[in-house]
């Protein structure tokens, strides 16, 4: 999939659309999800133009990969949800592609926390072959 420069997160990075910013550095931007699914629901996106984890892993520089991954833990600490910062932990999710229900075609990690999050995938939705 080629990168769509008009996707909503690209517009947020360019400052064309506002966001409720949590953290920003040279490699990453983090902001509140507009439709939170937990008491704490942050999104973390790389500054570069990557559609998903596979695109990022294949095409980002080592510096970008390290910088982005460091930012995830920084945000978790800043929000006070990591155990290292006194919180009860969090769930990190990255959707990629059709089956995952990825809606925005710019790589993003969901950081969910603030209540017991239950099983990773809803049991009734699982269809085992
Ligand atoms: P995904 O389904 O993994 O692609 O997740 C996309 C997420 O982006 C959803 O949780 C949306 O609520 C969130 N989202 C969409 N537009 C915005 C926006 N303008 N600001 C913050 N979050 C957004």
């Amino acid at each position: 999939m080629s990168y769509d420069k008009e996707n909503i997160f690209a517009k947020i990075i360019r400052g064309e659309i506002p966001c409720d910013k949590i953290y920003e550095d040279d490699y990453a931007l983090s902001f509140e999800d507009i439709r939170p699914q937990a008491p704490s629901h942050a999104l973390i996106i790389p500054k570069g133009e990557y559609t998903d984890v596979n695109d990022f892993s294949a095409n980002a520089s080592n510096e970008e990969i390290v910088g982005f991954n460091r930012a995830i833990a920084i945000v978790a600490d800043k929000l006070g949800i990591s155990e290292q910062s006194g919180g009860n932990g969090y769930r990190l999710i990255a959707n990629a592609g059709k089956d995952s229900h990825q809606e925005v075609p710019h790589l993003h990690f969901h950081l969910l926390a603030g209540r017991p999050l239950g099983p990773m995938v809803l049991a009734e939705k699982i269809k085992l072959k």
Side-chain angles (χ1 to χ4, degrees):
M1 188 207 306
S2 64
Y3 185 82
D4 169 16
K5 285 178 183 291
E6 296 309 312
N7 79 75
I8 195 131
F9 293 171
K11 290 180 179 175
I12 287 176
I13 290 172
R14 292 197 295 267
E16 295 166 11
I17 289 180
C19 70
D20 195 352
K21 196 189 290 184
I22 298 166
Y23 175 76
E24 182 172 16
D25 62 22
D26 287 348
Y27 307 102
L29 174 65
S30 175
F31 50 92
E32 304 286 351
D33 194 294
I34 208 165
R35 291 189 300 271
Q37 299 193 30
S40 178
H41 186 169
L43 295 171
I44 306 165
I45 67 177
K47 289 274 182 78
E49 299 179 343
Y50 302 103
T51 56
D52 60 16
V53 170
N54 275 63
D55 183 22
F56 188 61
S57 177
N59 299 312
S61 67
N62 289 354
E63 197 180 331
E64 287 176 290
I65 291 172
V66 170
F68 179 63
N69 277 280
R70 288 236 161 88
I72 294 169
I74 292 169
V75 171
D77 284 347
K78 204 165 157 48
L79 292 171
I81 58 178
S82 64
E83 292 192 334
Q84 290 82 347
S85 65
N88 285 332
Y90 57 85
R91 180 170 294 158
L92 190 61
I93 298 174
N95 293 318
K98 219 171 34 192
D99 277 358
S100 74
H101 213 273
Q102 180 180 5
E103 287 174 3
V104 181
H106 180 111
L107 171 61
H108 51 282
F109 275 55
H110 297 257
L111 195 55
L112 299 151
R115 64 168 166 78
L117 294 166
M120 195 162 64
V121 178
L122 288 179
E124 65 267 27
K125 298 251 170 95
I126 298 174
K127 269 194 192 150
L128 295 175
K129 283 184 181 168

PDB file of all heavy atoms in Angstrom, residues 5 23 26 29 38 42 44 57 63-64 73 76 94-95 98 105 108 113-114 118:
ATOM      1  N   LYS A   5      -0.592  10.762   1.714  1.00  0.00           N
ATOM      2  CA  LYS A   5      -0.157  11.962   2.444  1.00  0.00           C
ATOM      3  C   LYS A   5      -1.315  12.772   3.016  1.00  0.00           C
ATOM      4  O   LYS A   5      -1.109  13.671   3.817  1.00  0.00           O
ATOM      5  CB  LYS A   5       0.662  12.871   1.515  1.00  0.00           C
ATOM      6  CG  LYS A   5       2.064  12.363   1.239  1.00  0.00           C
ATOM      7  CD  LYS A   5       2.778  13.296   0.266  1.00  0.00           C
ATOM      8  CE  LYS A   5       4.160  12.808  -0.112  1.00  0.00           C
ATOM      9  NZ  LYS A   5       5.124  12.855   0.978  1.00  0.00           N
ATOM     10  N   TYR A  23       2.971  14.026  23.962  1.00  0.00           N
ATOM     11  CA  TYR A  23       4.435  13.999  23.877  1.00  0.00           C
ATOM     12  C   TYR A  23       4.866  14.155  22.421  1.00  0.00           C
ATOM     13  O   TYR A  23       4.180  13.688  21.515  1.00  0.00           O
ATOM     14  CB  TYR A  23       4.962  12.667  24.427  1.00  0.00           C
ATOM     15  CG  TYR A  23       6.456  12.503  24.280  1.00  0.00           C
ATOM     16  CD1 TYR A  23       7.336  13.169  25.129  1.00  0.00           C
ATOM     17  CD2 TYR A  23       6.987  11.692  23.275  1.00  0.00           C
ATOM     18  CE1 TYR A  23       8.716  13.028  24.966  1.00  0.00           C
ATOM     19  CE2 TYR A  23       8.353  11.544  23.115  1.00  0.00           C
ATOM     20  CZ  TYR A  23       9.214  12.223  23.967  1.00  0.00           C
ATOM     21  OH  TYR A  23      10.568  12.088  23.806  1.00  0.00           O
ATOM     22  N   ASP A  26      11.766  14.162  18.012  1.00  0.00           N
ATOM     23  CA  ASP A  26      12.122  14.142  16.583  1.00  0.00           C
ATOM     24  C   ASP A  26      11.521  12.937  15.852  1.00  0.00           C
ATOM     25  O   ASP A  26      11.369  12.965  14.627  1.00  0.00           O
ATOM     26  CB  ASP A  26      13.647  14.064  16.415  1.00  0.00           C
ATOM     27  CG  ASP A  26      14.304  15.381  16.756  1.00  0.00           C
ATOM     28  OD1 ASP A  26      13.583  16.387  16.894  1.00  0.00           O
ATOM     29  OD2 ASP A  26      15.543  15.399  16.907  1.00  0.00           O
ATOM     30  N   LEU A  29       5.161  11.313  17.736  1.00  0.00           N
ATOM     31  CA  LEU A  29       4.149  12.228  18.267  1.00  0.00           C
ATOM     32  C   LEU A  29       3.110  11.364  18.968  1.00  0.00           C
ATOM     33  O   LEU A  29       2.707  10.319  18.442  1.00  0.00           O
ATOM     34  CB  LEU A  29       3.498  13.005  17.115  1.00  0.00           C
ATOM     35  CG  LEU A  29       2.321  13.914  17.467  1.00  0.00           C
ATOM     36  CD1 LEU A  29       2.772  15.068  18.365  1.00  0.00           C
ATOM     37  CD2 LEU A  29       1.690  14.474  16.184  1.00  0.00           C
ATOM     38  N   ALA A  38     -10.635   3.175  26.708  1.00  0.00           N
ATOM     39  CA  ALA A  38     -10.214   2.884  28.080  1.00  0.00           C
ATOM     40  C   ALA A  38     -10.019   4.246  28.746  1.00  0.00           C
ATOM     41  O   ALA A  38      -9.924   5.265  28.045  1.00  0.00           O
ATOM     42  CB  ALA A  38      -8.926   2.079  28.078  1.00  0.00           C
ATOM     43  N   ALA A  42      -4.000   6.501  24.539  1.00  0.00           N
ATOM     44  CA  ALA A  42      -3.091   7.366  23.773  1.00  0.00           C
ATOM     45  C   ALA A  42      -2.751   6.687  22.456  1.00  0.00           C
ATOM     46  O   ALA A  42      -2.774   5.458  22.338  1.00  0.00           O
ATOM     47  CB  ALA A  42      -1.818   7.593  24.574  1.00  0.00           C
ATOM     48  N   ILE A  44       0.411   6.661  19.539  1.00  0.00           N
ATOM     49  CA  ILE A  44       1.800   7.071  19.311  1.00  0.00           C
ATOM     50  C   ILE A  44       2.104   6.792  17.852  1.00  0.00           C
ATOM     51  O   ILE A  44       1.902   5.663  17.374  1.00  0.00           O
ATOM     52  CB  ILE A  44       2.774   6.287  20.203  1.00  0.00           C
ATOM     53  CG1 ILE A  44       2.344   6.402  21.661  1.00  0.00           C
ATOM     54  CG2 ILE A  44       4.194   6.803  20.036  1.00  0.00           C
ATOM     55  CD1 ILE A  44       2.998   5.399  22.549  1.00  0.00           C
ATOM     56  N   SER A  57       9.212  -1.345   9.632  1.00  0.00           N
ATOM     57  CA  SER A  57      10.318  -2.263   9.889  1.00  0.00           C
ATOM     58  C   SER A  57      11.225  -2.399   8.667  1.00  0.00           C
ATOM     59  O   SER A  57      12.446  -2.472   8.786  1.00  0.00           O
ATOM     60  CB  SER A  57       9.733  -3.626  10.282  1.00  0.00           C
ATOM     61  OG  SER A  57      10.752  -4.547  10.481  1.00  0.00           O
ATOM     62  N   GLU A  63      17.762   4.582  13.383  1.00  0.00           N
ATOM     63  CA  GLU A  63      17.544   5.718  14.287  1.00  0.00           C
ATOM     64  C   GLU A  63      16.042   5.977  14.495  1.00  0.00           C
ATOM     65  O   GLU A  63      15.579   6.192  15.616  1.00  0.00           O
ATOM     66  CB  GLU A  63      18.202   6.946  13.671  1.00  0.00           C
ATOM     67  CG  GLU A  63      18.427   8.087  14.633  1.00  0.00           C
ATOM     68  CD  GLU A  63      19.094   9.269  13.923  1.00  0.00           C
ATOM     69  OE1 GLU A  63      19.844   9.053  12.953  1.00  0.00           O
ATOM     70  OE2 GLU A  63      18.837  10.405  14.353  1.00  0.00           O
ATOM     71  N   GLU A  64      15.283   5.920  13.422  1.00  0.00           N
ATOM     72  CA  GLU A  64      13.831   6.128  13.532  1.00  0.00           C
ATOM     73  C   GLU A  64      13.181   5.010  14.346  1.00  0.00           C
ATOM     74  O   GLU A  64      12.282   5.264  15.158  1.00  0.00           O
ATOM     75  CB  GLU A  64      13.184   6.156  12.142  1.00  0.00           C
ATOM     76  CG  GLU A  64      13.448   7.397  11.333  1.00  0.00           C
ATOM     77  CD  GLU A  64      12.836   7.266   9.944  1.00  0.00           C
ATOM     78  OE1 GLU A  64      13.346   6.449   9.136  1.00  0.00           O
ATOM     79  OE2 GLU A  64      11.870   7.975   9.650  1.00  0.00           O
ATOM     80  N   ALA A  73       7.716   3.952  25.546  1.00  0.00           N
ATOM     81  CA  ALA A  73       7.927   3.832  26.992  1.00  0.00           C
ATOM     82  C   ALA A  73       7.917   5.203  27.673  1.00  0.00           C
ATOM     83  O   ALA A  73       7.426   5.338  28.806  1.00  0.00           O
ATOM     84  CB  ALA A  73       9.246   3.112  27.263  1.00  0.00           C
ATOM     85  N   ALA A  76       4.311   6.051  28.170  1.00  0.00           N
ATOM     86  CA  ALA A  76       3.728   5.237  29.248  1.00  0.00           C
ATOM     87  C   ALA A  76       4.158   5.765  30.623  1.00  0.00           C
ATOM     88  O   ALA A  76       3.358   5.805  31.567  1.00  0.00           O
ATOM     89  CB  ALA A  76       4.132   3.770  29.078  1.00  0.00           C
ATOM     90  N   ALA A  94      -1.039  -2.539  17.794  1.00  0.00           N
ATOM     91  CA  ALA A  94      -0.828  -1.932  16.474  1.00  0.00           C
ATOM     92  C   ALA A  94      -1.600  -2.759  15.454  1.00  0.00           C
ATOM     93  O   ALA A  94      -1.305  -3.938  15.269  1.00  0.00           O
ATOM     94  CB  ALA A  94       0.654  -1.896  16.124  1.00  0.00           C
ATOM     95  N   ASN A  95      -2.595  -2.171  14.833  1.00  0.00           N
ATOM     96  CA  ASN A  95      -3.341  -2.861  13.796  1.00  0.00           C
ATOM     97  C   ASN A  95      -2.610  -2.701  12.467  1.00  0.00           C
ATOM     98  O   ASN A  95      -2.018  -1.655  12.197  1.00  0.00           O
ATOM     99  CB  ASN A  95      -4.754  -2.282  13.681  1.00  0.00           C
ATOM    100  CG  ASN A  95      -5.584  -2.574  14.913  1.00  0.00           C
ATOM    101  OD1 ASN A  95      -5.545  -3.674  15.452  1.00  0.00           O
ATOM    102  ND2 ASN A  95      -6.326  -1.579  15.381  1.00  0.00           N
ATOM    103  N   LYS A  98      -6.297  -5.282   6.657  1.00  0.00           N
ATOM    104  CA  LYS A  98      -7.748  -5.474   6.618  1.00  0.00           C
ATOM    105  C   LYS A  98      -8.309  -6.235   7.819  1.00  0.00           C
ATOM    106  O   LYS A  98      -9.219  -5.770   8.496  1.00  0.00           O
ATOM    107  CB  LYS A  98      -8.048  -6.267   5.350  1.00  0.00           C
ATOM    108  CG  LYS A  98      -9.286  -5.849   4.622  1.00  0.00           C
ATOM    109  CD  LYS A  98      -9.437  -6.501   3.243  1.00  0.00           C
ATOM    110  CE  LYS A  98      -8.899  -7.906   3.165  1.00  0.00           C
ATOM    111  NZ  LYS A  98      -8.744  -8.501   1.884  1.00  0.00           N
ATOM    112  N   PRO A 105      -4.261   4.871   7.716  1.00  0.00           N
ATOM    113  CA  PRO A 105      -3.094   4.253   7.081  1.00  0.00           C
ATOM    114  C   PRO A 105      -1.776   4.964   7.350  1.00  0.00           C
ATOM    115  O   PRO A 105      -0.990   5.226   6.432  1.00  0.00           O
ATOM    116  CB  PRO A 105      -3.462   4.285   5.589  1.00  0.00           C
ATOM    117  CG  PRO A 105      -4.299   5.517   5.453  1.00  0.00           C
ATOM    118  CD  PRO A 105      -5.065   5.652   6.739  1.00  0.00           C
ATOM    119  N   HIS A 108       0.421   3.478  13.746  1.00  0.00           N
ATOM    120  CA  HIS A 108       0.131   4.008  15.084  1.00  0.00           C
ATOM    121  C   HIS A 108       0.005   2.878  16.079  1.00  0.00           C
ATOM    122  O   HIS A 108      -0.484   1.802  15.760  1.00  0.00           O
ATOM    123  CB  HIS A 108      -1.147   4.856  15.092  1.00  0.00           C
ATOM    124  CG  HIS A 108      -2.335   4.186  14.466  1.00  0.00           C
ATOM    125  ND1 HIS A 108      -2.490   4.098  13.102  1.00  0.00           N
ATOM    126  CD2 HIS A 108      -3.419   3.583  15.015  1.00  0.00           C
ATOM    127  CE1 HIS A 108      -3.624   3.464  12.834  1.00  0.00           C
ATOM    128  NE2 HIS A 108      -4.208   3.127  13.982  1.00  0.00           N
ATOM    129  N   ALA A 113      -5.001   1.858  28.952  1.00  0.00           N
ATOM    130  CA  ALA A 113      -4.753   1.611  30.367  1.00  0.00           C
ATOM    131  C   ALA A 113      -5.842   2.245  31.218  1.00  0.00           C
ATOM    132  O   ALA A 113      -6.763   2.878  30.702  1.00  0.00           O
ATOM    133  CB  ALA A 113      -3.395   2.194  30.762  1.00  0.00           C
ATOM    134  N   GLY A 114      -5.734   2.032  32.533  1.00  0.00           N
ATOM    135  CA  GLY A 114      -6.621   2.723  33.469  1.00  0.00           C
ATOM    136  C   GLY A 114      -7.726   1.854  34.028  1.00  0.00           C
ATOM    137  O   GLY A 114      -8.511   2.315  34.863  1.00  0.00           O
ATOM    138  N   GLY A 118      -9.070  -7.019  30.459  1.00  0.00           N
ATOM    139  CA  GLY A 118      -9.687  -8.280  30.044  1.00  0.00           C
ATOM    140  C   GLY A 118      -8.837  -9.028  29.041  1.00  0.00           C
ATOM    141  O   GLY A 118      -7.697  -8.662  28.792  1.00  0.00           O
TER     142      GLY A 118
END
